[in-house]
Amino acid sequence: MSKVLLKVNNLKKYFPIRTGMFARVTGHVKAVDDVSFEVYEGETLGIVGESGCGKSTTGRTIMRLTEPTEGKIEFDGTDLTDLSNEDMRKIRREIQMVFQDPYASLNPRHTIEKILEEPLIVHGMGDGAERKKKVMEYLKIVGLSEYHAKRYPHQFSGGQRQRVGIARALMTNPKLIIADEPVSALDVSIQAQVLNLMKQLQEDLKLTYIFIAHDLGVVRHISDRVGVMYLGRMVELATSESLYDKPLHPYTQALLSAVPIPDPEFQGDQMLLTGDIPSPSNPPSGCTFHTRCPFATEECKQKAPNLREIKPGHSVACHLYNDQ
Amino acid sequence: MSELASKQIVAQEKVAGPWKEAWRSFRKSKAALFGLAIVTFFIIIAFIGPLVAPFGMNDQVLSNRLQPPSAEHWFGTDDLGRDIFSRVLYGARISLTVGFSAVLLSAVMGSFLGIIAGYYGRWIDTIISRIFDIMLAFPSILLAIAVVSILGPSLQNALIAIAIINVPTFGRLIRSRVLMIKQEEYIVAARAIGMKNSRILWNHILPNSMTPVIVQGTLAIATAIIEAAALGFLGLGAVAPQAEWGKMLADARVYFINAPWAMVFPGISIMLTVIGFNLMGDGLRDALDPKMKN
């Protein structure tokens, strides 16, 4: 295995709920609750889950766009949670982000050239001419042309804008890119183009990705390993093949069985989940999934399971595998 | 055919920035263009008025008191025998200067306070917002009168008073805009890139908060001109012999029955300028920010 680039330990992000006249804290939304994982250099770690499961918050908390409540984030040997705001700002050069909505993530009043040049200016990289050259170079790398540089975001299609978003993330030569649902706002035909572009860039530029998505097919296409999140917790973490071939956690099994199979004759067993996702401000006791799990036992209601490696490269947080 | 193709390429290369697009939609409204024409007309008068005025602002010919409009005195003369047409021309400069400077001053102060309150939030926001609330609790003209009473009546102090009473309007406008823009993904993206707060504020939030300020500013110029005239009318703004339109109204009030022209022409000037700025402001609002229309 290659080197660990990012190590997240017991990361928690609780958002306080304030009520009443004096804005007293009356509870917490546990958006991310005790999540640990590692990201190896050069790989793509996919994170999937329903909306509201904390996957985006995990991404933003790693970049300290929202401050973590607890836990450690070790990037390339530095603990990000210890850094001052100014040091954190500087290290963002190494960790960049691609956003979900290409319509909202580009400043509508700036030309593409200005948008792409800004990361270089902010981190004091190169002089004017060098920066311009690099902007043109990266425009081509992401499949746009030089004459696009003088245009404004609203003159582009969603897919083109997302290419600009990716180019912006690449400008400072980062090591890690956190892609927060980068293709979910795009048409299916464009999704594949952008995904292939990201794959190509990863090979060419030796990038490491954390790829956040809710679409299991998309994640399978791009990820080496996949983590499944439910209500702020990581319930399963495995290599892509292992997870898709033999999912262990009942939640993952349900998610995978919900993926449509393009075969009208197919009569498979669908595992349907009943009930809604519980409120993260008042999560169920024990295993948070026990309210919807068809295999739940008394133990599941009492004790929260830890994420354990059941077989090489496959970890799951479920009591069903306690004796393995 | 090839000519057509090359034309298309040229059309494609042409870049329409946000401002150009706004102008394109502004141009479509006849009322807005009419407003723009009036405003331009008065701005030109403000610049060249004193040069083309047939008489001086304060040339008194007491034998010519309260003459009706004639070939020599287009708008007639006032109680001191001064040419009203010339005084109206001079007055354009005073009214527009007061309108523009007061609004510029309050827009700058209001934007600054509003941006700080909106971006930093917490107790800074609480303090600034409460001050705005207190100021807005007073009727604006009353507040202006209070400010002038403290500073003493003069055109300059009237300008300052009008600037101060308009600060909370701009401040609140910008604050709410900043609160909205702060949540936009491109601001989060700017932070993720590693931008400093100051750069985010000045390069990203400020330019994107400016459109309502421009609209509000244009409309506020109209109000400021009226407020300046009102203060002048009350004897709290311009002092004699300044040819300020409100002051002219006040001076002519006594002779209104015998010499209505002394009041009518400055009055019409105020009305036209205000209509001009209002129409232009409405047009700008529709062009820059269609969502603000209600």
Side-chain angles (χ1 to χ4, degrees):
Chain A
M1 262 298 171
S2 51
K3 183 181 137 202
V4 174
L5 183 65
L6 179 83
K7 196 171 172 185
V8 175
N9 270 335
N10 308 98
L11 185 71
K12 291 182 184 172
K13 176 66 199 179
Y14 293 175
F15 292 103
I17 306 167
R18 293 174 193 277
T19 44
M21 195 160 72
F22 299 104
R24 272 185 311 124
V25 176
T26 51
H28 288 97
V29 173
K30 297 179 176 176
V32 179
D33 198 6
D34 207 0
V35 165
S36 305
F37 58 87
E38 286 168 351
V39 184
Y40 299 100
E41 202 158 47
E43 76 160 349
T44 301
L45 174 72
I47 298 181
V48 285
E50 288 170 85
S51 46
C53 72
K55 52 193 194 302
S56 290
T57 310
T58 305
R60 289 184 182 211
T61 312
I62 291 170
M63 289 209 74
R64 278 183 56 194
L65 291 172
T66 50
E67 292 294 330
T69 309
E70 246 183 82
K72 273 192 148 189
I73 306 158
E74 212 172 282
F75 173 75
D76 216 6
T78 340
D79 185 357
L80 300 184
T81 50
D82 278 348
L83 293 181
S84 69
N85 284 340
E86 181 58 18
D87 288 338
M88 186 63 218
R89 191 182 73 74
K90 285 180 184 147
I91 218 159
R92 288 196 178 127
R93 179 177 159 176
E94 311 274 338
I95 315 171
Q96 286 285 320
M97 208 159 172
V98 176
F99 289 86
Q100 172 176 13
D101 186 351
Y103 293 88
S105 62
L106 305 174
N107 188 336
R109 297 203 169 266
H110 286 183
T111 58
I112 301 308
E113 185 175 25
K114 206 167 172 188
I115 289 170
L116 294 184
E117 196 184 353
E118 203 155 25
L120 299 177
I121 299 174
V122 166
H123 292 288
M125 297 165 80
D127 58 31
E130 282 168 18
R131 289 198 298 258
K132 292 267 185 303
K133 209 178 127 209
K134 193 160 183 194
V135 168
M136 296 307 169
E137 186 189 331
Y138 274 79
L139 266 179
K140 279 184 202 148
I141 286 181
V142 297
L144 296 169
S145 305
E146 280 191 16
Y147 67 86
H148 287 126
K150 296 279 180 217
R151 295 199 185 171
Y152 288 88
H154 71 267
Q155 293 166 312
F156 290 91
S157 69
Q160 285 175 318
R161 288 185 202 211
Q162 199 55 296
R163 285 170 193 266
V164 174
I166 291 169
R168 172 173 63 184
L170 295 174
M171 290 309 288
T172 55
N173 308 324
K175 290 184 180 144
L176 175 67
I177 288 191
I178 300 174
D180 187 359
E181 307 223 17
V183 296
S184 53
L186 306 175
D187 287 348
V188 179
S189 56
I190 309 294
Q191 283 190 358
Q193 287 179 14
V194 172
L195 285 176
N196 289 336
L197 171 69
M198 287 185 73
K199 261 191 156 175
Q200 186 64 44
L201 290 170
Q202 182 170 38
E203 274 172 36
D204 295 348
L205 305 168
K206 309 269 172 292
L207 296 168
T208 308
Y209 287 144
I210 293 180
F211 194 96
I212 299 165
H214 61 253
D215 185 328
L216 288 155
V218 165
V219 169
R220 180 180 202 165
H221 181 72
I222 196 160
S223 306
D224 301 306
R225 291 189 306 137
V226 178
V228 180
M229 283 185 77
Y230 182 77
L231 266 187
R233 286 169 175 272
M234 189 77 89
V235 294
E236 188 161 3
L237 180 63
T239 59
S240 214
E241 304 98 67
S242 180
L243 186 100
Y244 282 90
D245 288 349
K246 201 168 183 330
L248 296 178
H249 198 282
Y251 178 61
T252 318
Q253 291 167 2
L255 276 185
L256 286 176
S257 84
V259 173
I261 290 155
D263 176 7
E265 306 289 314
F266 179 79
Q267 295 282 328
D269 288 329
Q270 268 214 341
M271 183 175 154
L272 287 177
L273 286 182
T274 50
D276 284 328
I277 189 164
S279 158
S281 61
N282 186 19
S285 62
C287 172
T288 48
F289 188 58
H290 83 252
T291 51
R292 300 168 78 189
C293 181
F295 313 111
T297 62
E298 202 48 46
E299 190 188 11
C300 300
K301 290 177 190 164
Q302 317 269 328
K303 216 175 112 211
N306 290 320
L307 193 67
R308 275 187 326 118
E309 193 159 15
I310 302 293
K311 52 186 188 188
H314 200 138
S315 309
V316 64
C318 183
H319 289 309
L320 294 175
Y321 304 95
N322 274 354
D323 32 335
Q324 282 181 34
Chain B
M1 186 62 207
S2 66
E3 198 184 326
L4 188 74
S6 67
K7 248 183 203 162
Q8 270 170 345
I9 288 166
V10 172
Q12 228 179 28
E13 304 241 317
K14 225 179 240 173
V15 178
W19 294 115
K20 247 184 209 164
E21 300 226 324
W23 166 241
R24 206 171 289 162
S25 85
F26 181 83
R27 225 170 30 182
K28 278 187 202 137
S29 158
K30 285 207 178 75
L33 284 181
F34 182 59
L36 180 67
I38 298 177
V39 169
T40 319
F41 174 71
F42 275 100
I43 288 175
I44 292 171
I45 287 187
F47 275 106
I48 64 161
L51 303 174
V52 300
F55 296 91
M57 175 192 83
N58 202 25
D59 291 353
Q60 305 182 11
V61 183
L62 290 175
S63 55
N64 272 345
R65 296 177 72 227
L66 298 175
Q67 293 294 311
S70 62
E72 194 188 354
H73 300 289
W74 291 1
F75 291 177
T77 60
D78 67 3
D79 55 322
L80 294 172
R82 294 176 295 197
D83 179 46
I84 290 175
F85 179 61
S86 305
R87 284 178 67 78
V88 166
L89 291 184
Y90 274 94
R93 178 177 285 190
I94 294 178
S95 284
L96 289 186
T97 312
V98 171
F100 273 112
S101 346
V103 166
L104 191 69
L105 209 62
S106 53
V108 169
M109 288 195 287
S111 304
F112 181 72
L113 291 173
I115 281 186
I116 288 181
Y119 191 69
Y120 290 102
R122 296 166 185 250
W123 60 271
I124 302 178
D125 181 26
T126 313
I127 292 175
I128 294 177
S129 295
R130 287 303 85 79
I131 293 174
F132 287 166
D133 287 346
I134 293 169
M135 289 175 75
L136 285 169
F138 293 99
S140 58
I141 197 74
L142 204 65
L143 195 63
I145 291 171
V147 174
V148 175
S149 322
I150 296 166
L151 299 173
S154 80
L155 196 60
Q156 192 195 329
N157 291 344
L159 189 156
I160 293 171
I162 294 164
I164 290 174
I165 61 174
N166 280 311
V167 166
T169 326
F170 284 102
R172 278 192 157 187
L173 192 69
I174 283 273
R175 176 181 167 272
S176 67
R177 185 83 183 175
V178 169
L179 285 180
M180 198 180 84
I181 289 178
K182 198 165 75 164
Q183 307 294 329
E184 294 276 348
E185 218 166 53
Y186 59 83
I187 300 300
V188 182
R191 287 180 59 210
I193 283 167
M195 250 180 249
K196 286 181 184 164
N197 274 339
S198 55
R199 190 180 176 92
I200 295 177
L201 268 182
W202 298 116
N203 289 15
H204 293 263
I205 293 186
L206 187 68
N208 281 294
S209 323
M210 271 301 118
T211 45
V213 174
I214 292 167
V215 174
Q216 175 64 29
T218 319
L219 297 169
I221 289 175
T223 335
I225 289 173
I226 293 188
E227 279 159 353
L231 287 175
F233 189 83
L234 293 171
L236 294 169
V239 286
Q242 277 171 325
E244 200 271 328
W245 292 338
K247 175 80 178 137
M248 287 165 75
L249 283 182
D251 293 344
R253 189 171 44 103
V254 193
Y255 313 100
F256 182 64
I257 304 294
N258 301 324
W261 55 85
M263 253 186 125
V264 165
F265 291 108
I268 287 178
S269 308
I270 295 174
M271 192 188 78
L272 275 179
T273 339
V274 170
I275 287 179
F277 276 107
N278 274 329
L279 290 177
M280 195 173 115
D282 283 347
L284 278 177
R285 183 190 57 200
D286 296 348
L288 292 173
D289 204 350
K291 270 175 273 173
M292 267 174 77
K293 212 186 320 190
N294 39 27

